[in-house]
Amino acid sequence: MDIDAANRRAIDRVLQSQPTLVGIGTALETVPGMDGKTLLHAGPPVAWDRMCGPMRGAVMGALIYEGLAQDANEALEVAQSGEITFDPCHHHQAVGPMAGIISPSMPVFIIENATFGNQAYCTLNEGLGKVLRYGAYDPEVIERLRWMERVLAPALAETLEVCGGINIKNLLSQAVQMGDEGHNRNRAGTSLLIRELSPHLVRSGVSRQDAASVLEFINGNDHFFLNLTMPAGKCTMDAAHGIPESTLVTTMARNGTDFGIRVSALGDRWFTGAAEVPQSLYFPGFSEKDANPDIGDSVIAETAGFGGFAMAAAPAIVRFVGGTSKDALAATLSMYEITMAENDAYLIPPLDFRGTPTGIDLRKVVETGILPAINTGVAHREPGIGQVGAGLVRPPMQCFREALLAFANHVESVETVPS
Amino acid sequence: MPVKVTVRKNTYYDSVTLMWLSREASGVPGMHQVVVVMGTDLNRELLDRVGLLDETARKAGPSDLIIALEAVDDRAIEAGEQAVEDLLKRRQELAPDAEHRYATLRSALQAFPEADLVSISIPGRYAWREAETCIKAGKHVFLFSDNVPLEQEVRLKRIAQERGLLLMGPDCGTAVISGVVLGFANVLRRGPIGVVAASGSGAQEVTSMIHNMGSGVAHVIGTGGRDLSREVGGLMMAMGISALARDSSTQVIVVISKPPHPEVSRGVLEVLRNTGKPAVVCFMGACHRSSLADGIWGADTLENSARIAVALAQNDDPASCLGHPSGWGRWVEVAAREARRLAPSQVFVRGLYSGGTLCDEAIHILSRTLGHVYSNTPLGPGLKVERIGAGHTILDLGDDAYTQGRAHPMIDPTLRQAMILDVAQDPRTSVLLLDCILGYGSHPDPGGSLVSSIMKAREIALSAGRHLPVVVSVCGTDLDPQNKDEQANRLRSAGALVLDSNAQTAAFAGNLMAEVGGTP
Amino acid sequence: MKDVQDLLSRPPNVINVGLEIFYKDLKTQGVRAVSVEFRPPAGGDEHLAAILRRLQG
């Protein structure tokens, strides 16, 4: 048994991954295991009866969008009927922010790992406020989804054909140097993306009117880049998943009810605990009583060594965590205690360009009691209202303890006996 | 409920700052609502919804700052306004002391490869594993922790020895390496005398006296209290002695310990002889008089260990400096005078010590003239007690029995303060002995912490028609964080008799009792 | 025994594990030092701590 060697292999695969945006496809055709009656969701497996408000709203919206229901009432019936298969995005090489619902007709980004060949998928970001991922399902929401399907996605698909692939890792590493962290702060990344795409969009066959509305749409949404950083992270971590004896945590995800993790050596087993309400700053008019428990696959960012793990590089986010640069530095520094390596691409200027702590080691989390620090948006518990704040959250320790016991059982073929 | 809305024109703050500010300000007592936002349409709608939109706010624009407060009364409103003002003005200071604490030894070793030594002061059941990690990482260890299993001490000292590393401890309270104090130790002038000690307070007394005599100390290597047991065999003692033998700054070697196991004793003396350097050994209680035997000086007291070492370092003959200290005649007179003031009931010596070896030394010195001396760390099994009771009683309050759930008496004086009063109330107490240990690690004002108890104790005795002499020595140097002279002066002002060494306080008490009981 | 002679040849660089006061005293003396805020492995859970030791290799 050489866990350290297995981990070195795993972390090498993480660091060598080159997630590249190569195109846009439709979920049904692109995402493995997708079919006409399947809805993918964020986080570990969860049945309809345990889904939180925003996720139920998003499911209902998706059913209406797909034409599987005419209105909210019918959508509710269909959702409860048992006809619909619900499965985690993660089981299908995909990730989704907040409720993270992916339905067959939705366009998805295709991210390919140029080094190892594996792919990952994510929907395109709808914007802020009343959107599907926060559980909204009004006609306005459906209309926007249709516009994305019919105008935005094809325009971007054509643009990508002209420009070839865009290396998301490169863009993200530049963005981290510009005050982003790739999870809660994506303004620089979105700006770099538009810069990258614009000449090709203009050169493509897309009409001027559509090109303008595409650019306006992206420009109006600071988080557009998030839906690229997430599958970039997924693509990266999938390449390091399934390595025997490795204690690398390859997945962290929440569905608004449970928080779940997966470990490289332990295959598809999820280790879950109750999702917590983040310690947050709330937008004016909202407070903790409005907050939904932690939700979304976006924590793939921290799993892959950015997001909260690059917090010290993102001064604008700093205030969400205890309020001072000192605390952000301390939070980032403590992450080095539980990770395997320092990233070679995501560098933190205030730490003298030290690489972000990357590759959570299950053993170190249990040993030190230090849980991964996650920056996250907070959703309103009622569907369709939107984001009510942002803050800091940690996974439940229970996930890591159970995973460690399972790992020990797995690698030691005899029953573990306290020494 | 009163509401106050203020608008500052053309005053921009970003939304994150304002959210944080609103949260901070809402903590002001009496605040019901605080909303501090830029005057955008959305924000004005919000203010309207919560009843905080007045005429001025209605007219505010997106680049104007709106401060809206609702509180229980006008006073609270004012307080809220002041809080918002302060928060707006507050400059983010860069962390003055952002000293990072590592969560594991492993990450500290990784971050600080130039580390030579690791100081470990965590519970014993975890401490030995950390010590093992250090030794395997090639680091020397100062192991302050006690309650380490004996078999682990033996095993780890063997591994450390194989790798040429010092494992000072477990239960090692004192070390001074190249002038750097580890644990409880005094600030000492550097000089030619090297010390290897299995005793903390013993090392402190000897080295303080060396400093006070004008000489200096090269190093103090601690071995931990159990090093000279049969099982451990004096492993670290031997390594320490050999290291001082090779150390060019050390010219005289002093060894301090309780008497080792006889086999171990032989081994230690052998190593000492082979160094070729002048050496002094104080195996507390092993000899009644200081003398030279087989090339090594044996000292009967800690004070004499220091005097012999200093003499050797100065190429003087130690024999010539072993008489009574100058001024001793006066103390003999004082002892007689004190004895005359005692009431007939006052027949027993009592001592309350924070330093284990100082306690031990007092017991040895007094046993010679008084016979049985009871203690929690007695010379023989029949003399073991846990509290002041029958007969002459000298207690080591740093012993495990007294430190369960409580800090060591060198840090926390409360138990000793209480016991001083108990001793004073006992009509049979003739004289009270105390130690007062200065230096790093100790209470910031050990003398001061004894002053009121001493005064109270003497008052208790006085009001019952008795005179209670209190005798103290201050173990420390003029370089210590606590001001040694001031410590001594304050003890004197409280009515204590302050002598220059622990041995002298015990001898004083012996003289006093000789006058009382007519014992020779 | 070069290593011990090395230690005695100059002021040591120290890692402090445990009592904060010892670390403070080291810094007061101008020693190059860092401090570890020790917590029992696995939050004091002996069973998990034993497993971790086996898995550390």
Side-chain angles (χ1 to χ4, degrees):
Chain A
M1 169 168 75
D2 192 343
I3 296 172
D4 289 333
N7 283 340
R8 271 193 301 275
R9 267 203 311 283
I11 198 65
D12 278 347
R13 289 179 74 96
V14 170
L15 296 178
Q16 287 164 26
S17 288
Q18 296 292 338
T20 310
L21 174 61
V22 295
I24 299 195
T26 308
L28 184 61
E29 285 147 24
T30 312
V31 176
M34 199 62 179
D35 66 44
K37 289 284 189 80
T38 293
L39 292 181
L40 305 182
H41 63 78
V46 65
W48 169 260
D49 61 340
R50 289 185 73 239
M51 282 185 191
C52 65
M55 188 172 280
R56 286 189 175 194
V59 165
M60 287 157 58
L63 290 172
I64 296 170
Y65 166 72
E66 292 292 336
L68 292 169
Q70 294 302 316
D71 56 32
N73 286 330
E74 203 187 330
L76 197 56
E77 274 175 39
V78 175
Q80 292 170 151
S81 68
E83 281 173 42
I84 304 295
T85 305
F86 296 109
D87 210 27
C89 294
H90 268 291
H91 290 178
H92 300 262
Q93 293 168 224
V95 281
M98 288 294 147
I101 299 299
I102 304 182
S103 69
S105 309
M106 290 183 184
V108 293
F109 285 124
I110 303 173
I111 306 288
E112 186 166 291
N113 193 333
T115 318
F116 300 108
N118 59 304
Q119 290 189 343
Y121 317 100
C122 184
T123 51
L124 282 60
N125 196 293
E126 310 156 76
L128 307 168
K130 285 193 173 10
V131 289
L132 189 80
R133 73 177 182 284
Y134 281 102
Y137 47 79
D138 323 350
E140 188 192 311
V141 173
I142 311 298
E143 209 31 63
R144 187 187 303 112
L145 286 172
R146 294 214 169 102
W147 176 82
M148 289 169 71
E149 183 189 331
R150 289 169 195 165
V151 179
L152 178 66
L156 288 177
E158 216 178 308
T159 307
L160 286 169
E161 266 168 53
V162 175
C163 86
I166 299 181
N167 186 317
I168 301 301
K169 186 173 191 173
N170 282 349
L171 284 192
L172 181 55
S173 79
Q174 289 173 57
V176 167
Q177 309 258 323
M178 292 163 69
D180 273 11
E181 31 81 291
H183 182 164
N184 270 313
R185 177 85 183 186
N186 290 289
R187 179 179 292 178
T190 301
S191 307
L192 290 171
L193 180 71
I194 289 192
R195 211 169 85 161
E196 196 70 34
L197 290 172
S198 307
H200 304 293
L201 177 60
V202 168
R203 248 186 229 110
S204 75
V206 176
S207 74
R208 282 171 64 98
Q209 193 182 348
D210 283 350
S213 59
V214 162
L215 289 174
E216 264 163 11
F217 181 81
I218 298 175
N219 191 42
N221 178 8
D222 276 345
H223 284 296
F224 194 77
F225 194 57
L226 174 68
N227 289 46
L228 288 167
T229 63
M230 284 177 58
K234 170 67 173 167
C235 195
T236 299
M237 298 316 293
D238 273 0
H241 188 70
I243 294 178
E245 295 183 356
S246 169
T247 53
L248 176 68
V249 174
T250 47
T251 308
M252 292 196 289
R254 341 67 131 199
N255 55 32
T257 311
D258 302 312
F259 194 115
I261 70 169
R262 296 189 308 174
V263 178
S264 186
L266 298 177
D268 290 331
R269 284 186 63 177
W270 287 93
F271 302 92
T272 61
E276 296 173 7
V277 172
Q279 286 281 358
S280 314
L281 276 187
Y282 288 96
F283 297 158
F286 297 108
S287 74
E288 183 158 340
K289 60 175 172 48
D290 302 313
N292 197 71
D294 206 20
I295 183 171
D297 285 334
S298 56
V299 62
I300 192 72
E302 285 76 10
T303 317
F306 53 98
F309 284 33
M311 202 187 312
I317 289 303
V318 152
R319 288 268 175 68
F320 287 132
V321 186
T324 65
S325 318
K326 177 176 137 192
D327 295 315
L329 278 176
T332 304
L333 284 174
S334 75
M335 293 300 101
Y336 287 108
E337 302 275 0
I338 58 171
T339 47
M340 297 178 186
E342 296 185 11
N343 206 290
D344 53 357
Y346 310 131
L347 310 178
I348 305 177
L351 292 182
D352 274 331
F353 297 91
R354 188 173 176 189
T356 59
T358 302
I360 298 165
D361 186 335
L362 172 64
R363 298 172 298 176
K364 291 184 185 181
V365 173
V366 178
E367 182 194 354
T368 62
I370 296 173
L371 290 162
I374 301 164
N375 284 342
T376 186
V378 181
H380 199 288
R381 56 170 60 252
E382 297 302 316
I385 298 185
Q387 188 178 356
V388 296
L392 182 64
V393 74
R394 310 259 178 174
M397 180 52 90
Q398 179 186 339
C399 300
F400 296 89
R401 286 176 168 237
E402 283 177 13
L404 185 75
L405 287 169
F407 181 86
N409 265 323
H410 175 75
V411 294
E412 303 176 335
S413 38
V414 295
E415 172 86 352
T416 53
V417 176
S419 64
Chain B
M1 224 178 280
V3 166
K4 179 128 181 239
V5 181
T6 338
V7 173
R8 295 199 192 178
K9 297 206 71 63
N10 289 316
T11 305
Y12 176 77
Y13 286 89
D14 70 273
S15 58
V16 176
T17 301
L18 294 178
M19 279 164 58
W20 164 79
L21 193 152
S22 300
R23 185 181 72 178
E24 294 295 298
S26 60
V28 171
M31 288 314 298
H32 182 64
Q33 277 196 94
V34 180
V35 184
V36 186
V37 287
M38 298 308 296
T40 61
D41 289 346
L42 213 65
N43 285 337
R44 292 205 309 275
E45 263 175 52
L46 160 76
L47 284 167
D48 201 14
R49 265 209 310 279
V50 297
L52 292 178
L53 188 73
D54 70 352
E55 273 316 304
T56 34
R58 209 178 293 274
K59 292 199 220 119
S63 49
D64 301 328
L65 180 69
I66 306 176
I67 303 169
L69 306 167
E70 186 179 9
V72 293
D73 56 27
D74 287 324
R75 268 246 311 254
I77 294 265
E78 248 182 70
E81 279 185 307
Q82 189 57 54
V84 171
E85 194 55 52
D86 292 342
L87 289 164
L88 284 173
K89 274 211 204 92
R90 191 156 97 186
R91 280 175 57 236
Q92 288 290 8
E93 291 167 39
L94 285 180
D97 159 4
E99 291 279 11
H100 178 63
R101 298 289 179 272
Y102 292 90
T104 58
L105 171 62
R106 183 185 48 232
S107 53
L109 285 168
Q110 217 173 332
F112 193 33
E114 321 89 275
D116 302 295
L117 177 148
V118 182
S119 167
I120 301 176
S121 52
I122 60 180
R125 67 185 175 285
Y126 303 115
W128 61 269
R129 286 193 207 278
E130 302 298 300
E132 184 162 1
T133 303
C134 296
I135 295 167
K136 291 189 171 157
K139 310 296 178 188
H140 302 278
V141 178
F142 172 75
L143 184 51
F144 180 82
S145 313
D146 62 2
N147 290 314
V148 169
L150 177 61
E151 65 269 19
Q152 296 304 341
E153 176 172 356
V154 174
R155 186 177 68 89
L156 292 178
K157 280 183 172 172
R158 285 194 186 138
I159 299 173
Q161 184 193 45
E162 274 162 38
R163 294 175 193 221
L165 297 166
L166 279 183
L167 170 50
M168 295 186 277
D171 197 28
C172 176
T174 301
V176 185
I177 304 294
S178 307
V180 170
V181 163
L182 298 165
F184 291 72
N186 303 91
V187 183
L188 306 163
R189 189 183 299 113
R190 293 299 299 284
I193 300 171
V195 174
V196 192
S199 141
S201 56
Q204 289 196 256
E205 174 89 338
V206 171
T207 55
S208 294
M209 303 212 75
I210 289 171
H211 173 101
N212 294 336
M213 288 179 210
S215 184
V217 171
H219 308 279
V220 179
I221 297 176
T223 64
R226 225 165 29 186
D227 194 65
L228 297 178
S229 62
R230 182 182 56 82
E231 294 88 349
V232 185
L235 244 169
M236 280 299 139
M237 176 64 71
M239 269 188 82
I241 293 170
S242 305
L244 291 180
R246 289 187 179 82
D247 176 50
S248 54
S249 57
T250 301
Q251 284 152 33
V252 176
I253 301 176
V254 179
V255 167
I256 307 165
S257 168
K258 293 194 177 186
H261 189 275
E263 289 162 25
V264 180
S265 210
R266 265 195 293 283
V268 169
L269 295 174
E270 182 71 24
V271 177
L272 209 44
R273 240 171 252 121
N274 290 341
T275 66
K277 293 187 179 176
V280 188
V281 170
C282 181
F283 291 150
M284 183 54 63
C287 60
H288 288 210
R289 244 175 14 93
S290 297
S291 63
L292 179 63
D294 285 329
I296 298 178
W297 277 92
D300 60 334
T301 65
L302 298 168
E303 175 170 16
N304 282 343
S305 309
R307 290 158 111 198
I308 296 167
V310 172
L312 291 171
Q314 293 169 349
N315 283 316
D316 290 333
D317 178 15
S320 67
C321 68
L322 284 173
H324 283 302
S326 64
W328 186 247
R330 193 192 135 250
W331 284 114
V332 173
E333 279 170 26
V334 171
R337 182 195 72 203
E338 294 290 294
R340 283 195 290 278
R341 296 171 66 184
L342 298 182
S345 65
Q346 294 176 268
V347 292
F348 292 137
V349 172
R350 270 77 201 266
L352 295 171
Y353 278 83
S354 60
T357 304
L358 301 183
C359 177
D360 207 36
E361 181 172 64
I363 294 174
H364 274 111
I365 291 172
L366 286 167
S367 297
R368 278 174 223 143
T369 53
L370 299 180
H372 295 312
V373 176
Y374 293 92
S375 174
N376 57 322
T377 56
L379 299 186
L383 295 166
K384 189 167 168 78
V385 295
E386 311 245 299
R387 44 191 319 110
I388 307 283
H392 308 291
T393 313
I394 300 180
L395 298 178
D396 171 14
L397 299 181
D399 186 48
D400 278 353
Y402 293 101
T403 55
Q404 297 304 322
R406 179 186 271 131
H408 194 278
M410 276 171 70
I411 303 171
D412 177 7
T414 41
L415 178 62
R416 187 150 71 147
Q417 287 164 338
M419 290 179 81
I420 287 172
L421 302 183
D422 291 341
V423 161
Q425 257 144 13
D426 185 341
R428 294 165 304 170
T429 302
S430 58
V431 53
L432 174 59
L433 295 174
L434 299 170
D435 61 358
C436 177
I437 307 179
L438 312 184
Y440 278 111
S442 277
H443 190 278
D445 185 11
S449 74
L450 293 173
V451 159
S452 54
S453 311
I454 291 172
M455 286 172 67
K456 189 103 200 295
R458 284 162 57 81
E459 276 163 35
I460 289 172
L462 194 61
S463 61
R466 301 191 295 274
H467 169 69
L468 180 60
V470 178
V471 191
V472 194
S473 69
V474 178
C475 172
T477 73
D478 55 353
L479 297 178
D480 279 332
Q482 307 89 344
N483 185 325
K484 182 180 172 161
D485 284 341
E486 205 204 302
Q487 295 278 303
N489 285 339
R490 289 173 63 194
L491 288 164
R492 279 186 205 105
S493 311
L497 301 166
V498 181
L499 286 91
D500 287 335
S501 76
N502 186 57
Q504 288 182 39
T505 62
F508 178 92
N511 278 13
L512 189 153
M513 292 310 294
E515 295 289 331
V516 168
T519 42
Chain C
M1 282 226 288
K2 175 193 182 287
D3 249 311
V4 189
Q5 304 322 122
D6 228 18
L7 179 68
L8 301 182
S9 64
R10 54 176 170 74
N13 300 324
V14 180
I15 295 175
N16 182 66
V17 181
L19 295 176
E20 188 65 17
I21 180 70
F22 282 179
Y23 181 57
K24 229 189 77 193
D25 287 345
L26 288 167
K27 297 309 278 182
T28 303
Q29 297 178 75
V31 174
R32 277 193 73 210
V34 301
S35 193
V36 175
E37 197 184 309
F38 178 81
R39 255 166 262 151
D45 181 326
E46 281 302 323
H47 180 44
L48 281 177
I51 291 176
L52 282 169
R53 280 193 295 273
R54 288 202 301 278
L55 298 180
Q56 293 306 356

